Amino acid sequence: MQASNSNSAPIYRVRVAVPVYLHDCFDYSLSAEQYQQAEAGARVAVSFGRQHLVGVIMEKLAPDAPLDPSIKLKAITELLDERAILSPKVLTLVTWAAQYYQFPIGEVVHSALPALLRQGKPYNLLARMWKLLDDNAEAKVKRSERQQEAYKILKLHPSGTSENILNLAGVETATLKALEKKEICTCVLETQDFSPMPVSLAQMPLTANEEQKHAINSIVKTRGKYQAFLLDGLTGSGKTEVYLQVMQEVLKQGKQVLVLVPEIGLTPQTVSRFQSRFHCNIALLHSGLNDSKRLQAWQAAETGKASIVLGTRSAILTPMPNLGLIILDEEHDLSFKQQEGFRYHARDVALYRGHLEQCPVILGSATPSIDSYALVQHGKMRVLELNQRAGAALMPKIHLLDLKIAKKQHGISESLLEEMKKRLEKKEQVLVFLNRRGYAPVLICESCAWQAKCPHCDANFTVHRTPYQHLHCHHCGTIHRMPEHCPQCAHKELKPLGMGTAKVEEHLNELFPDFDVIRVDRDSTSRVGSWQKIYDKIQQSEPAILLGTQMLAKGHHFPYVTLVAILDIDSGLLSVDFRATERTAQLVVQVAGRAGRGERKGDVYLQTLRPDHPLLNTLVKEDYRQFAKQTLKERQAAMMPPFRYAALIRCESKEQQLNTDFLQHHAQLLRQSAELNVDIWGPIPAPMERKAGRYQSHMALLSPDRARLHFYIRNWWQNMLHSKPSSMKLTLDIDPQELS
Ligand code: ADP
Ligand code: ZN
Ligand code: ZN
């Protein structure tokens, strides 16, 4: 195209990513003065159709760049930032991610910004500073331990300190407000100071063992360039110590470190390990923050004030001017993959970011994902192993209990109950794991076999007994009254079948009346603070039975647990998904890792109907690495991910036929794209065909050639989005975690 405006006045333009469900950026004009000030990475207010939106400048166009005369250029409403708040590297990162995951760029850019900035609020908010008014107030706080603690900390900072820092130190805002009421302290608003804080060591590092030394040296040597490492070490083998010592070297160079942990792993215990090692500013980014706290933490990262940024999945998009190291702890954890909207995997984004920033990336786990082992196999990542448990702790022994021949009481084998009793009598703790909350997964009529089903889903209702008797659908949230008799045959005996944590709790209380049973699941911890209370109780050396779901499996340290029982391993093994055994093995090893972390050796018991399951046996008789090796071979033989690249199209509407016809038509179109080496699976109805009253179908695409697959999908997918009926919901999942 010719520049048609060569002899008229220059037109100043910027290309803006606007948060709408469209894949392109949009050009806006602005005044010469605004243009001069504008930087790529700054926010602008724009109108889009009838909406007023906050966009981000992705590019400043040259004034003499060709102009499409058919497009009526709108002017921006306002330039919101006088400088770039998303760095060029983050702009490159989000542009890549939008392309790779085929998700609208404006939406991706928005996920890199904290809520207040997305809403167009000014960058410079005021910080809340707390200062002591009365430094002789011991008597006034005598009656509250929390207030005493807060008072003590405030006294250490006579010139005042920010609410953020106080919160990090464990002082709650409510406590500060209570002290303010008593006129002991006051809160003032100050403009924030973003100058970097000096870093120093707060605590001497431990003396690393040989394996740790090797790991630390290998990583430190690659500083300043990109290299991915898989730190493959048993639970308790000192991975965190390796992170800390590598961080020390990176921080010493004045660089920042980004640490990502699973959603459930960002506990006060994790934070305090970093805090007690380094004196420096640590920014915490997780979903529990309110908007202004989140903004402040993000700003500390973005300005370079924070030397360490500790966050969950979405923190991977945070701008950091001096990023020198990225760590992903528990890299196998599912929470690193976003399962809705912008479906990215933080692990893959982290690897790409390390490459952009030219810094090392460490993925750590006791049960690395098969995906990561494949990267090692392909030479894209270096593996560093830690094989000894640090300190005195021994690895627990795993035993299989054959449920077909075992004598049972309420679904628990008698020999297991016997072992539990022995441990409890020795004042040790026992952990019982069952990944099913509620009382029972099925309500059945004893006479005609009718089962209580959710009217909106293809699923059984779960029976709950607390806080009152009811039926609950765990898929759509529907709640029903408990029927008094069978609606089909009027029989009065309706029986809860199978076990949920609430039912097991009832039985354990009956079987072990002298011991505490502590249940940990979403139902028992839904009240704020209740999880902390349970946690404190677990840390006391009283004999007790800890009973729970998933929530108990992750990273926590339970020093008094010496026996772990997994009541139902089979539901994981029977699942149709190709990653089901991988997930089950990870879960077993992670749950087992809770046993014997103290001085005493631990035992793990698995109840199963399939004691001959080959992969389960590899795991039990050998170890996770051997299991992983075998799984890698199987995946390669079957040409399943990560040996082929996948994309999954999910389709949801009011009629199954509509889904099938639509997907089939588009599958046909894709098949016609010449020379594409791709398998198309489906379309087929999802395992749960009807959910919340809507029908689900999907279709999977697999190819050994990722670049070609993505290239061919691009236009095809756009075409699908444009031609779908408006009542249909379509999503594209690149590198899906499940194919069913
Ligand atoms: P992981 O992160 O692999 O689960 P941790 O780093 O938490 O392991 O280490 C487990 C325990 O061993 C911690 O209490 C830690 O302080 C201790 N530890 C780690 N490395 C050493 C070492 N080199 N010498 C002594 N104790 C260590
Ligand atoms: Zn009946
Ligand atoms: Zn339902």
Side-chain angles (χ1 to χ4, degrees):
M1 205 192 307
Q2 281 290 315
S4 57
N5 55 325
S6 52
N7 45 15
S8 50
I11 297 178
Y12 297 104
R13 279 163 294 157
V14 283
R15 189 151 284 173
V16 179
V18 185
V20 288
Y21 207 82
L22 290 164
H23 285 247
D24 296 317
C25 289
F26 297 88
D27 292 353
Y28 285 85
S29 66
L30 66 186
S31 69
E33 198 188 335
Q34 283 173 324
Y35 182 80
Q36 200 150 42
Q37 227 193 12
E39 286 183 14
R43 292 172 302 153
V44 283
V46 295
S47 62
F48 189 90
R50 289 206 193 132
Q51 304 176 75
H52 298 280
L53 300 171
V54 174
V56 169
I57 302 175
M58 299 303 284
E59 197 186 334
K60 278 172 88 171
L61 300 176
D64 58 356
L67 183 70
D68 182 348
S70 68
I71 291 176
K72 214 174 129 243
L73 211 54
K74 270 199 212 169
I76 65 164
T77 315
E78 194 188 345
L79 184 59
L80 294 172
D81 298 308
E82 53 209 26
R83 64 173 184 90
I85 61 168
L86 292 180
S87 62
K89 278 183 187 143
V90 168
L91 291 183
T92 311
L93 184 71
V94 290
T95 306
W96 168 81
Q99 283 258 338
Y100 185 86
Y101 292 105
Q102 312 211 8
F103 202 72
I105 177 73
E107 299 279 340
V108 177
V109 168
H110 259 213
S111 34
L113 291 172
L116 290 174
L117 296 182
R118 288 205 290 270
Q119 293 156 15
K121 297 276 184 338
Y123 185 93
N124 283 311
L125 284 189
L126 299 173
R128 293 165 64 84
M129 302 289 290
W130 289 89
K131 193 169 177 223
L132 218 52
L133 291 174
D134 178 356
D135 59 5
N136 199 3
E138 276 80 2
K140 289 197 225 167
V141 295
K142 205 168 61 200
R143 304 214 350 238
S144 154
E145 228 172 89
R146 288 190 180 177
Q147 292 184 14
Q148 281 174 29
E149 190 57 29
Y151 173 73
K152 244 193 268 165
I153 293 179
L154 282 170
K155 224 172 157 175
L156 292 175
H157 301 274
S159 55
T161 182
S162 81
E163 185 166 307
N164 250 351
I165 303 231
L166 288 163
N167 289 156
L168 271 176
V171 178
E172 286 172 21
T173 305
T175 314
L176 292 165
K177 287 193 174 148
L179 291 179
E180 188 179 28
K181 247 194 196 150
K182 295 185 181 170
E183 297 184 347
I184 296 171
C185 67
T186 184
C187 180
V188 284
L189 295 177
E190 281 183 13
T191 44
Q192 283 197 72
D193 173 15
F194 291 127
S195 48
M197 245 174 78
V199 184
S200 64
L201 212 54
Q203 180 192 58
M204 283 311 283
L206 302 172
T207 310
N209 65 30
E210 285 307 313
E211 283 179 325
Q212 284 174 321
K213 256 188 225 152
H214 171 71
I216 295 162
N217 290 339
S218 310
I219 303 165
V220 167
K221 253 193 264 163
T222 62
R223 254 175 335 183
K225 49 182 207 281
Y226 169 68
Q227 171 66 48
F229 294 94
L230 178 63
L231 186 62
D232 177 356
L234 312 172
T235 16
S237 61
K239 294 185 291 299
T240 311
E241 187 59 34
V242 171
Y243 303 152
L244 290 168
Q245 296 199 25
V246 177
M247 285 167 76
Q248 188 182 330
E249 292 302 312
V250 173
L251 294 170
K252 214 159 56 183
Q253 310 276 315
K255 297 259 181 172
Q256 294 170 289
V257 180
L258 174 60
V259 184
L260 299 185
V261 296
E263 227 135 67
I264 217 163
L266 198 51
T267 59
Q269 287 79 12
T270 318
V271 179
S272 81
R273 272 190 91 172
F274 291 94
Q275 258 174 342
S276 48
R277 181 65 59 92
F278 303 109
H279 280 306
C280 69
N281 189 298
I282 300 183
L284 280 185
L285 284 167
H286 60 87
S287 52
L289 296 174
N290 67 29
D291 287 350
S292 64
K293 294 257 157 67
R294 193 171 176 89
L295 174 62
Q296 282 173 29
W298 188 90
Q299 288 172 324
E302 191 267 326
T303 53
K305 178 187 172 121
S307 301
I308 300 174
V309 177
L310 189 55
T312 47
R313 181 178 63 222
S314 67
I316 191 59
L317 300 174
T318 313
M320 294 171 68
N322 293 309
L323 186 55
L325 172 69
I326 304 173
I327 297 170
L328 238 101
D329 191 30
E330 309 286 356
E331 65 90 27
H332 65 280
D333 196 272
L334 260 184
S335 75
F336 286 122
K337 167 88 198 234
Q338 177 138 313
Q339 302 283 20
E340 57 191 37
F342 170 36
R343 293 176 157 77
Y344 64 101
H345 200 306
R347 186 207 298 138
D348 295 321
V349 179
L351 293 175
Y352 190 79
R353 184 158 190 188
H355 176 73
L356 274 181
E357 308 264 1
Q358 285 298 303
C359 74
V361 180
I362 313 176
L363 310 182
S365 175
T367 52
S369 59
I370 300 299
D371 290 350
S372 292
Y373 278 125
L375 289 177
V376 171
Q377 192 179 354
H378 295 140
K380 297 199 173 134
M381 185 141 72
R382 276 174 62 189
V383 68
L384 301 165
E385 292 184 358
L386 301 180
N387 292 303
Q388 288 137 30
R389 260 193 164 179
L394 296 163
M395 278 316 281
K397 184 164 169 41
I398 305 183
H399 315 261
L400 291 179
L401 292 171
D402 187 348
L403 277 183
K404 290 197 300 289
I405 53 174
K407 272 203 190 151
K408 283 161 287 192
Q409 283 191 44
H410 303 301
I412 306 176
S413 117
E414 286 185 350
S415 57
L416 173 56
L417 290 171
E418 200 50 44
E419 281 300 320
M420 288 171 64
K421 189 160 158 246
K422 274 193 219 152
R423 307 294 173 135
L424 292 167
E425 281 168 354
K426 281 199 275 179
K427 299 216 178 319
E428 297 168 2
Q429 295 179 353
V430 169
L431 190 156
V432 177
F433 180 87
L434 179 67
N435 215 5
R436 199 180 301 121
R437 66 195 172 88
Y439 188 79
V442 179
L443 182 71
I444 193 166
C445 167
E446 294 215 294
S447 163
C448 75
W450 167 87
Q451 296 183 11
K453 289 208 160 77
C454 173
H456 312 295
C457 303
D458 290 328
N460 280 317
F461 268 129
T462 300
V463 182
H464 282 252
R465 290 216 164 154
T466 50
Y468 55 92
Q469 292 253 16
H470 64 281
L471 298 173
H472 186 187
C473 173
H474 286 185
H475 305 283
C476 71
T478 299
I479 290 179
H480 262 211
R481 263 186 331 130
M482 197 72 173
E484 281 167 15
H485 48 77
C486 172
Q488 197 164 278
C489 74
H491 187 70
K492 282 233 183 301
E493 306 296 317
L494 294 176
K495 191 179 171 196
L497 203 67
M499 297 190 291
T501 43
K503 189 169 176 185
V504 174
E505 179 184 27
E506 198 176 283
H507 294 325
L508 289 174
N509 272 322
E510 222 170 88
L511 291 162
F512 299 101
D514 301 334
F515 298 100
D516 272 350
V517 177
I518 306 168
R519 196 180 96 210
V520 182
D521 58 26
R522 246 201 292 159
D523 301 319
S524 73
T525 55
S526 53
R527 264 176 309 132
V528 180
S530 52
W531 171 233
Q532 189 59 41
K533 267 191 217 131
I534 292 170
Y535 200 83
D536 291 345
K537 209 164 162 191
I538 294 171
Q539 299 299 319
Q540 293 161 7
S541 70
E542 292 294 310
I545 301 174
L546 319 176
L547 163 68
T549 54
Q550 209 83 279
M551 292 184 84
L552 271 181
K554 307 260 172 94
H556 304 294
H557 189 58
F558 302 141
Y560 304 106
V561 170
T562 58
L563 186 153
V564 169
I566 302 179
L567 296 187
D568 176 17
I569 193 74
D570 297 336
S571 46
L573 294 175
L574 291 175
S575 160
V576 290
D577 193 74
F578 76 103
R579 278 189 229 263
T581 47
E582 175 184 353
R583 302 261 172 257
T584 307
Q586 286 163 347
L587 189 71
V588 169
V589 177
Q590 295 288 342
V591 180
R594 302 310 115 215
R597 298 200 75 171
E599 315 274 276
R600 284 168 281 200
K601 187 168 176 351
D603 285 282
V604 180
Y605 291 85
L606 305 181
Q607 297 204 131
T608 177
L609 287 166
R610 305 194 48 196
D612 52 342
H613 190 286
L615 283 172
L616 190 58
N617 272 284
T618 309
L619 184 67
V620 172
K621 300 208 176 103
E622 299 177 64
D623 59 6
Y624 182 81
R625 281 195 202 129
Q626 217 41 49
F627 162 85
K629 234 185 228 166
Q630 222 165 302
T631 306
L632 262 178
K633 269 195 209 138
E634 286 185 7
R635 294 261 185 96
Q636 187 157 22
M639 286 304 277
M640 290 297 283
F643 295 94
R644 272 200 295 181
Y645 298 94
L648 188 72
I649 317 280
R650 292 193 186 85
C651 179
E652 180 194 305
S653 76
K654 286 207 162 121
E655 273 174 74
Q656 195 58 288
Q657 196 57 43
L658 196 66
N659 294 346
T660 312
D661 291 347
F662 182 82
L663 290 177
Q664 226 138 33
H665 170 69
H666 287 276
Q668 200 48 40
L669 291 179
L670 189 67
R671 281 198 188 94
Q672 285 159 9
S673 327
E675 46 157 358
L676 174 60
N677 184 3
V678 65
D679 267 354
I680 302 179
W681 290 1
I684 53 163
M688 190 182 299
E689 190 172 347
R690 203 166 49 106
K691 192 167 160 185
R694 303 198 18 117
Y695 288 88
Q696 329 275 325
S697 294
H698 57 229
M699 181 161 87
L701 315 176
L702 284 109
S703 169
D705 185 341
R706 172 156 66 188
R708 288 269 279 285
L709 176 68
H710 288 196
F711 176 80
Y712 276 102
I713 293 180
R714 187 152 299 135
N715 287 328
W716 175 75
W717 169 241
Q718 290 303 315
N719 181 23
M720 259 171 117
L721 284 177
H722 290 140
S723 57
K724 77 174 181 62
S726 62
S727 65
M728 179 183 278
K729 200 180 149 200
L730 269 186
T731 59
L732 170 64
D733 194 346
I734 298 284
D735 304 333
Q737 284 297 302
E738 296 153 321
L739 282 178
S740 56

